[in-house]
């Protein structure tokens, strides 16, 4: 597999629901149990014996008719050694499944993957193996044994593991005495110290424990700097931008795009030479220019440093760097020299003290040229340094863009800019409008891309490359586009997640713990009256409808979080699907928004005493709104 | 990061079929010990005496049974002292019953891990051998102590060594295979309802009295002898006794019944277990 760290060929993963004789037997039993639970009036009165026996009688959800879920659908990827790749996608896009397959936690249904070296999966699995009766130290060594890591590897990091997990001397206490959070941290901290060649990380695990996440960051950077390959599953690029510089976008189990990670901040530490082959734009640069840009971008050197080394002046280095960049993207000629220079300085992370990014990137041509340059500099990691100031949306474009407005996501803004420059404002409006229609966009892509390249004044091949890049951006924009809109997009119901009491998203929920449904709503207009309703549906159990008692008024435009705290005892052991309905009222008009399958989870009888300790009596649903 | 050239691992779909399970179990062999330890800890979790319960259980069983059968009922075991005779017989029976009982419970106890990651479920089932082996170890120590005590008191070792010694490991192997075969059938169902393990526990209690564990085969009345001889555990028990003491009868009907039943149970059990595993695989 050459020098790739991971190669994935047509990987497919299919899950089954409600099939087979064993499941049928269990299903009959479970339906009977669901009936018993309903008779209990929602109270949690599991007898002591069940708790003592750590019983979890039902392993799978009730029979809902034999069906299959395609979690991964023919995924093919090649990831170079030392890469730091974000696997991005919405819930149920297949990102965690992909990591589970690569971590040998779940076998693929078809296809094949090759992984070079020791793989450490920073997934929830680690804590499943831990023994609450053994000490933290013994558990760390146990995990090393089970993951096939030499004992001495974990032994020499025990101090760091204890520190990272916030254990200190308690590492010699039984793990069952730790809080749930520390218990989980111990598993994750141990995996982080297995000296992996490939590290698989689920961002939710780290990101939802802010204090732990901060401490993990240093270790993750250390692992990446040692040359390990990092695969980071996340819903949004922002939290992983500090670790990753490349991204793979998944949707419905398919790779919809690959490319640099927007907003990545960390400069690439491995030279582009480690990649299979440089793209044509880079190859065309002179050796001296290439070295110069590489030194500036890859190694994070500044003009002054480099000037001293080369025996010249910082201004001379600046001029040469500008010239190299202009050679890369010659179509910047329509911009004046000062703007071009300012853009290059900004991209190379060396802006003049008086440079104002808002002014430099004020015009669409400037933004388009900068983006094209960014794309061409990507192999150097320049994309990691680029941060465009957020532009105020053009009201005309915003209205035309429908699903992408307002406010424009950075990626959608890029699309709008590019189209405006290349097609002119009128056609841009039409194109953005058409872009919301997949079929029309496809036609636009096939028929008009040559016109776009010509209008933008770029060579044929570069135009095509840029357009492909924009398609990826569009995919990203769609991914970030609110899921449902009312009043021409002025109210959006963005997402809903089920979390535990600590705010950590959960896919499986023990029955005896509180849960929180967190709904994100965005309003672009003030004074909207909003009222939410949650509907939790499960086969074999009565649907649970929870309505917000009083509407709330979003006085200012912005993003709001509505949390509904579901007390323990409301749910039955079943597979639930959550539907969210939002009723919005503005200026006497009312609209109804809905996320039909906003989240899904498995409610189950707790498997361990950790969950049993959290028994709380059933109480009313508590609602909370935060801006 | 390791300095040696890292190995490239190939991740492929789980191949269907029974024969491929064995190399797969070998690849995941680390988990056998892990699951075994989980089962072993079940013996003494939430107890005051802790791991002391591991040797205490067989000691209590042997002392009480030897008192009742050897003392009160005066079961005659020929030249071999009843305590020694029962220790040996019960060692094999406990190996058999513990393998079956804990094999039945193995998936239920290992489900926390099995539901979170793929591992061949046979590794979990084979974990029952750890607990059965640990208890057998306790019996071996008890037997050695008893042998030393009788050597001192009676001046006789009671052990025989010869070709028939080979019958002892054969008896052990047959008992373990038979128990694992039954557990292959029961474990997937025990995962879903506790009734199965309760039933297995009661059935084992009844089965013990139908087996020549507390009494020699020669004590069985003629009218019931066929039933006892057809019992598939009779042959392993007799083979074990024959191998250690050079004393014991292994009727041809017992041996044939044992071999036939073991072959059927192991073959059918593995097929059923594999089918249950394939059904549970990737089930959400």
């Amino acid at each position: 597999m050459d020098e790739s760290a991971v190669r994935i060929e047509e990987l497919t993963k299919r899950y089954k629901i409600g099939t087979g004789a064993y499941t049928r037997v269990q299903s009959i039993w479970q339906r009977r149990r669901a009936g018993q639970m309903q008779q209990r009036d929602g109270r949690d009165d599991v007898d002591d014996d069940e708790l003592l026996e750590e019983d979890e009688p039902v392993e799978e959800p009730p029979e809902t008719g034999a069906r299959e879920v395609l979690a991964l659908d023919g995924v093919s990827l090649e990831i170079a050694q030392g890469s730091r790749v974000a696997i991005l996608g919405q819930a149920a896009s297949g990102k965690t499944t992909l990591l589970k397959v690569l971590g040998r936690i779940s076998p693929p249904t078809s296809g094949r993957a090759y992984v070079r070296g020791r793989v450490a999966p920073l997934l929830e699995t680690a804590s499943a193996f831990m023994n609450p009766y053994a000490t933290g130290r013994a558990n760390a060594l146990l995990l090393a044994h089970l993951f096939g890591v030499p004992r001495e590897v974990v032994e020499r990091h025990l101090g760091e593991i204890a520190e990272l997990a916030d254990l200190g001397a308690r590492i010699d206490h039984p793990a069952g005495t730790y809080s749930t959070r520390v218990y989980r941290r111990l598993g994750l901290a141990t995996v982080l110290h297995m000296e992996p060649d490939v590290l698989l990380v689920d961002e939710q695990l780290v990101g939802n424990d802010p204090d732990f996440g901060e401490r993990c960051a240093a270790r993750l950077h250390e692992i990446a700097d040692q040359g390990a390959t990092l695969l980071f599953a996340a819903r949004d690029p922002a939290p992983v931008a500090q670790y990753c510089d490349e991204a793979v976008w998944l949707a419905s189990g398919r790779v919809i795009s690959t490319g640099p990670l927007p907003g990545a901040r960390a400069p690439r530490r491995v030279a582009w030479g480690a990649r299979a082959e440089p793209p044509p734009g880079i190859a065309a640069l002179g050796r001296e220019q290439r070295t110069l840009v590489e030194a500036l971008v890859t190694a994070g050197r500044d003009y002054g440093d480099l000037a001293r080394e080369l025996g010249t002046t910082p201004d001379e280095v600046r001029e040469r760097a500008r010239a190299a960049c202009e050679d890369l993207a010659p179509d910047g000629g329509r911009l004046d020299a000062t703007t071009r220079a300012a853009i290059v300085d900004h991209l190379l992370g060396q802006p003049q003290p008086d440079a104002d990014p808002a002014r430099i990137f004020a015009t669409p041509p400037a933004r388009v040229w900068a983006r094209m340059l960014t794309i061409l500099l990507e192999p150097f990691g320049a994309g990691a340094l680029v941060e465009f100031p957020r532009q105020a949306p053009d009201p005309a474009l915003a209205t035309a863009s429908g699903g992408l407005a307002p406010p424009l996501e950075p990626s959608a803004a890029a699309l709008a800019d590019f189209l405006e420059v290349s097609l002119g404002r009128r056609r841009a409006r039409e194109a953005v409008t058409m872009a919301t229609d997949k079929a029309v966009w496809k036609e636009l892509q096939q028929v008009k891309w040559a016109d776009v390249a010509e209008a933008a004044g770029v060579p044929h091949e570069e135009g095509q490359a840029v357009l492909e890049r924009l398609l990826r951006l569009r995919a990203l924009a769609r991914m970030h586009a609110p899921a449902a809109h009312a009043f021409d997009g002025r109210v959006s119901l963005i997402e809903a997640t089920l979390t535990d009491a600590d705010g950590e998203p959960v896919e499986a929920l023990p029955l005896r713990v509180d849960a929180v449904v967190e709904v994100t709503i965005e309003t672009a207009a003030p004074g909207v009256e909003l009222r939410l309703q949650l509907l939790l549906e499960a086969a074999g159990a009565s649907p649970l409808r929870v309505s917000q008692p009083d509407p709330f008024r979003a006085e200012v435009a912005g993003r709001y979080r509505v949390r509904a705290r579901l007390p323990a005892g409301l749910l039955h052991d079943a597979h639930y699907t959550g539907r969210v309905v939002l009723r919005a009222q503005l200026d006497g008009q009312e609209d109804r928004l809905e996320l039909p399958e906003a989240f899904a989870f498995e409610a189950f009888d707790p498997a361990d005493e950790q969950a049993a300790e959290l028994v709380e009596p059933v109480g009313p649903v508590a609602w909370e709104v935060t801006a | 990061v390791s300095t040696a050239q890292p190995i490239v691992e190939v991740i492929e779909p789980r191949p269907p079929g029974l024969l491929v399970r064995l190399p797969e179990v070998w690849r995941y062999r680390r988990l056998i010990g892990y699951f075994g330890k989980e089962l072993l800890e079940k013996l003494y979790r939430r107890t005051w005496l802790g791991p002391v319960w591991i040797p205490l259980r067989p000691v209590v069983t042997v002392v009480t049974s030897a008192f009742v059968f050897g003392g009160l009922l005066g079961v005659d075991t020929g030249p071999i002292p009843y305590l020694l005779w029962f220790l040996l017989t019960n060692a094999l029976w406990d190996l058999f019953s513990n393998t079956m009982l804990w094999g039945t419970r193995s998936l239920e106890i290992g489900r926390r891990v099995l539901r979170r990651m793929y591992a061949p479920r046979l590794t979990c089932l084979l974990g029952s051998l750890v607990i059965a082996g640990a208890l057998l170890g306790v019996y071996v120590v008890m037997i050695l102590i008893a042998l030393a005590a009788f050597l001192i008191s009676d001046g006789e070792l009671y052990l025989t060594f010869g070709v028939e010694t080979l019958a002892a490991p054969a008896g052990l192997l047959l008992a373990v295979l038979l128990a694992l075969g039954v557990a292959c059938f029961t474990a997937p169902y025990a995962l879903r309802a506790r009734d199965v393990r309760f039933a297995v526990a009661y059935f084992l209690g009844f089965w013990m009295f139908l087996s020549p564990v507390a009494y020699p085969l020669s004590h069985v009345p003629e009218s019931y002898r066929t039933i006892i001889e057809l019992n598939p555990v009779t042959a392993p028990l007799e083979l074990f006794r024959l191998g250690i003491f050079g004393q014991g009868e292994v009727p041809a009907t017992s041996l044939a019944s044992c071999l036939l039943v073991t072959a059927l149970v192991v073959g059918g059990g593995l097929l059923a277990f594999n089918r249950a595993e394939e059904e549970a695989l990737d089930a959400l």
Side-chain angles (χ1 to χ4, degrees):
Chain A
M1 55 185 275
D2 308 322
E3 289 307 307
S4 302
V6 178
R7 195 167 85 203
I8 301 168
E9 295 172 353
E10 290 293 319
L11 212 60
T12 298
K13 178 73 189 180
R14 213 178 281 274
Y15 288 108
K16 295 178 289 192
I17 298 178
T19 53
Y22 285 89
T23 315
R24 284 195 293 277
V25 169
Q26 170 252 326
S27 175
I28 293 164
W29 183 87
Q30 192 178 15
R31 279 199 290 274
R32 185 169 61 78
R33 186 172 168 81
Q36 286 169 358
M37 291 294 285
Q38 282 173 3
Q39 285 167 16
R40 291 175 180 181
D41 194 25
R43 297 279 167 178
D44 179 15
D45 57 359
V46 178
D47 61 72
D48 286 347
D49 184 45
E50 280 187 23
L51 292 180
L52 283 172
E53 290 297 327
E54 298 179 5
D55 205 19
E56 187 188 357
V58 178
E59 192 190 31
E60 289 113 17
E63 189 175 28
T64 53
R67 60 194 171 98
E68 288 187 332
V69 178
L70 197 56
L72 290 177
D73 186 5
V75 171
S76 295
L77 283 172
E78 183 140 12
I79 295 167
Q81 273 186 344
S83 301
R84 289 176 281 165
V85 182
I87 312 286
L88 299 172
Q90 295 289 47
S93 58
K95 51 191 189 302
T96 308
T97 304
L98 179 61
L99 296 196
K100 281 182 174 175
V101 170
L102 295 178
R104 281 195 177 280
I105 288 164
S106 179
T109 307
S110 66
R112 191 175 283 205
Y114 303 85
V115 183
R116 186 187 294 275
R118 183 184 300 154
V119 181
L122 198 64
L123 308 170
E124 197 57 270
T125 312
S127 52
F129 280 108
M130 283 166 47
N131 183 341
Y133 297 88
T135 63
R137 182 189 301 271
N139 270 303
L141 296 174
L142 170 73
L143 286 177
H145 172 70
L146 291 174
F147 281 86
V149 176
R151 184 186 170 93
E152 56 273 16
V153 170
V154 168
E155 258 175 352
R156 67 171 161 259
H157 291 296
L158 270 173
E160 295 153 71
I161 291 170
E163 193 183 337
L164 188 59
D166 206 12
L167 273 171
R170 286 189 301 150
I171 196 163
D172 288 315
H173 294 190
T177 60
Y178 305 158
S179 70
T180 310
R181 183 167 285 205
V182 171
Y183 188 84
R184 221 191 61 235
R185 282 180 182 178
L186 173 62
L188 300 178
T190 307
V191 175
L192 271 174
H193 287 88
M194 288 181 176
E195 299 183 0
D197 297 304
V198 177
L199 182 66
L200 312 170
V201 189
D202 188 344
E203 189 271 328
Q204 287 188 348
L205 286 179
V206 182
N208 289 306
D209 187 349
D211 181 38
F212 181 64
E214 274 175 29
R215 278 181 281 155
C216 274
R219 178 65 193 153
L220 286 167
H221 282 302
E222 207 177 302
I223 292 170
D225 288 350
Q226 284 165 351
T229 306
L230 198 66
L231 268 68
F232 225 117
R235 288 179 79 162
D236 297 311
V240 292
Q242 62 168 316
Y243 307 110
C244 305
D245 42 26
E246 292 173 85
V248 172
W249 283 272
L250 293 180
S252 305
R254 293 180 182 197
V255 176
I256 55 166
S257 174
T258 58
L261 179 68
R265 288 200 178 88
R268 177 186 291 281
R269 301 237 166 87
V270 278
W272 63 267
R275 293 172 155 235
E277 53 185 70
I282 299 300
L285 271 185
R287 185 183 173 79
E288 193 193 342
Q289 285 175 312
R290 191 190 301 177
T291 311
L292 180 67
V293 178
E294 192 180 352
L296 287 166
V297 180
T298 310
R301 312 283 297 274
D302 66 26
Y303 291 151
D305 262 2
L306 215 55
R308 275 191 294 280
E309 201 169 293
L310 298 172
T312 180
T313 64
D315 283 346
E316 169 67 18
V317 175
R318 183 186 299 272
E319 285 312 312
R320 281 160 64 185
R322 286 173 180 171
C325 288
E326 293 204 20
D327 281 357
L328 264 177
D331 60 302
R334 65 175 68 180
L335 293 167
D336 64 74
T338 316
T339 308
R340 290 201 311 269
I343 289 172
V344 170
D345 290 347
H346 187 89
L347 293 189
L348 298 180
Q350 327 245 352
Q352 299 279 32
D354 57 345
D356 174 11
R359 195 176 48 78
I360 299 168
F361 298 107
T363 62
R367 295 198 292 270
V368 168
W369 190 66
R371 287 195 177 96
M372 289 175 65
L373 201 50
T374 305
I375 293 161
L376 296 164
L377 283 170
E378 267 171 10
F380 293 122
L385 301 174
V386 180
E387 255 190 277
F388 292 104
R390 198 178 174 88
Q391 300 298 316
D394 177 329
L397 277 176
T399 309
S401 63
L404 301 174
L408 282 176
E409 291 290 337
S411 48
L415 177 60
D417 282 346
F418 183 85
L419 290 167
E420 187 175 338
V421 168
S422 55
L423 301 173
R425 176 163 289 228
R426 188 183 59 80
R427 287 186 62 199
R429 271 183 227 153
E430 291 167 5
V432 177
T433 308
M434 284 192 293
T436 56
D437 182 332
K438 196 175 172 182
V440 177
W441 173 264
K442 201 171 174 186
E443 188 187 335
L444 183 78
Q445 178 196 357
Q446 285 171 351
V447 179
K448 301 288 186 190
W449 76 265
D451 292 347
V452 171
E454 193 184 332
V458 295
H460 196 268
E461 294 78 12
E462 281 182 23
Q464 189 172 21
V466 171
L467 200 65
E468 281 169 5
R469 160 79 172 144
L470 287 170
L471 283 169
R472 291 204 296 266
L473 289 173
R474 181 174 169 274
L476 183 68
R478 285 177 71 86
M479 200 175 281
H480 284 271
H485 317 275
F487 314 125
D488 296 329
R490 278 177 290 176
V491 180
S492 308
L493 178 51
I494 296 173
E495 62 173 2
T497 48
L498 181 86
T499 71
D500 62 14
D502 295 329
E504 292 162 15
V506 287
E507 289 170 1
L509 183 73
L511 284 180
R512 282 180 282 282
V513 298
D514 281 1
V516 175
V517 176
E518 192 169 290
V519 185
T520 309
I521 299 164
E522 191 162 288
T523 69
V528 186
E529 274 209 352
L530 302 162
R531 189 174 192 152
L532 271 172
Q533 189 178 59
L534 308 175
L535 194 67
L536 304 175
E537 293 167 318
S542 315
L544 183 69
R545 193 186 300 272
V546 182
S547 298
Q548 204 176 352
D550 301 307
F552 71 95
R553 193 178 160 86
E555 295 294 354
V556 291
R559 204 164 259 219
Y560 288 84
R561 278 213 170 80
V562 184
R563 288 158 57 91
R565 194 178 182 90
L566 309 174
L570 272 185
L571 307 171
H572 305 303
D573 45 351
H575 181 77
Y576 280 89
T577 309
R579 180 191 296 187
V580 180
V581 176
L582 174 71
R583 290 183 192 281
Q585 212 171 32
L586 180 65
D587 301 332
Q589 278 186 297
E590 188 174 307
D591 210 339
R592 181 180 180 278
L593 310 180
E594 184 173 337
L595 294 180
E597 288 185 6
F599 54 89
F601 64 99
E602 187 82 19
F604 65 97
D605 262 1
D608 52 41
E609 294 117 312
Q610 300 276 336
E613 281 169 11
L614 300 174
V615 175
E616 281 181 21
V618 63
V621 176
W623 289 83
E624 177 197 323
V625 181
T626 50
Chain B
V1 177
S2 45
T3 48
Q5 183 63 17
I7 297 164
V8 176
E9 277 211 51
V10 184
I11 298 166
E12 290 176 301
R14 176 186 187 270
L18 199 56
L19 287 178
V20 289
R21 296 281 77 80
L22 296 179
E24 194 187 35
V25 167
W26 177 249
R27 217 171 36 246
Y28 283 84
R29 62 189 179 281
R30 278 192 194 89
L31 289 176
I32 298 176
Y34 170 77
F35 286 124
K37 199 160 170 275
E38 286 274 299
L39 293 174
L40 198 61
E41 286 183 359
K42 274 272 169 187
L43 282 182
Y44 60 85
R45 272 184 189 174
R46 298 187 199 88
T47 61
W48 288 336
L49 294 179
V52 174
W53 274 109
I54 297 176
L56 201 57
R57 281 173 182 237
V59 167
V60 171
T61 309
V62 167
V63 168
T64 52
S65 300
F67 174 71
V68 172
F69 293 103
L72 294 181
L73 300 178
V75 175
D76 179 20
T77 51
I80 313 286
Y82 185 80
L83 179 67
L84 192 57
W85 187 93
F86 181 74
L87 257 175
L88 194 83
T89 315
N90 208 46
L92 186 119
W93 173 259
D94 261 16
L95 177 75
F96 171 76
S97 63
N98 280 314
T99 305
M100 191 193 292
L101 191 63
W102 291 101
T104 298
R105 291 196 65 188
S106 58
L107 295 185
E108 175 210 342
I109 292 167
R111 70 191 178 278
R112 188 164 48 106
V113 169
L114 292 173
R115 65 182 286 155
R116 284 171 177 83
M117 73 164 282
Y118 172 73
R121 291 185 171 208
L122 263 180
T123 55
C124 190
L125 189 76
L126 291 175
S128 61
L129 290 179
V130 172
I131 193 167
L135 291 171
L136 182 67
V138 174
Y139 273 103
V140 168
V141 172
M142 286 163 68
I143 289 167
L144 290 175
I145 293 170
L147 281 171
F150 283 115
L151 184 63
I152 293 164
S153 65
D154 301 354
E156 200 172 341
L157 186 58
Y158 296 113
L159 292 182
T160 56
F161 299 99
V163 183
E164 67 269 20
T165 307
L166 292 174
L172 283 173
L173 184 68
L174 281 172
V176 166
L177 284 176
L178 183 61
L180 283 175
V182 176
C184 281
F185 282 108
T186 52
Y189 287 103
L191 184 60
R192 289 161 177 83
R194 282 204 255 169
D195 315 46
V196 178
R197 73 159 139 117
F198 294 159
V200 168
Y202 286 118
F203 183 66
L204 275 170
F206 180 58
W207 198 346
M208 182 182 160
F209 289 112
L210 284 184
S211 310
V213 177
Y215 51 85
L217 194 56
S218 54
H219 276 42
V220 179
E222 205 54 46
S223 51
Y224 293 103
R225 204 175 160 92
T226 314
I227 298 173
I228 306 298
E229 280 185 5
L230 286 176
N231 178 350
V233 190
T234 301
L237 285 165
E238 293 297 321
L239 281 169
F240 193 53
R241 267 200 297 264
L242 179 69
I244 304 292
F245 294 143
Q247 184 205 67
E249 42 179 323
V250 190
T253 45
S254 284
L255 197 58
S257 157
C258 174
L259 289 172
L260 183 68
V261 172
T262 305
L264 287 175
V265 166
V266 170
L270 282 174
L271 281 172
F273 190 81
N274 194 44
R275 189 171 153 233
E277 185 175 22
E278 276 172 9
E279 279 185 3
L281 187 73
D282 297 334
L284 277 180

